[in-house]
Amino acid sequence: MATTPDDVAKWMLDELQREKYLYQETVVYDIESKFGKDFVYLNDNGNLAISRKILSAFKKLTGDSVIWERGEQMMRF
């Protein structure tokens, strides 16, 4: 069975619950290595970024319980 954006989003939520923080710079490389290049892309700045489909699925799972800390480039409860 193929991995879906929902699967990756669920993994992200599990990691967030375990670690309390998800740093973009770290988690994007974890996603690429665990799930493949289909779930990441190069953004306009040339940096690896999490697929919008995954971020949308993650938002559906977490609602308003997770916030993006722009300055720290990380997600937290």
Side-chain angles (χ1 to χ4, degrees), residues 58-77:
F58 185 73
K59 181 69 173 169
K60 286 179 188 172
L61 282 176
T62 60
D64 292 334
S65 66
V66 173
I67 62 168
W68 172 248
E69 289 280 350
R70 186 178 183 97
E72 293 290 321
Q73 297 288 298
M74 61 105 158
M75 294 169 234
R76 67 172 177 81
F77 287 104

Side-chain angles (χ1 to χ4, degrees), residues 5-40:
D6 289 336
D7 296 329
V8 180
K10 175 67 171 101
W11 172 84
M12 284 177 60
L13 179 56
D14 291 344
E15 287 295 294
L16 180 61
Q17 289 170 332
R18 189 170 63 79
E19 296 289 331
K20 306 302 180 221
Y21 303 97
L22 281 184
Y23 286 91
Q24 160 96 12
E25 186 175 329
T26 305
V27 77
V28 71
Y29 288 102
D30 289 345
I31 290 169
E32 181 183 39
S33 70
K34 291 179 188 306
F35 302 103
K37 292 183 184 289
D38 291 342
F39 298 103
V40 297

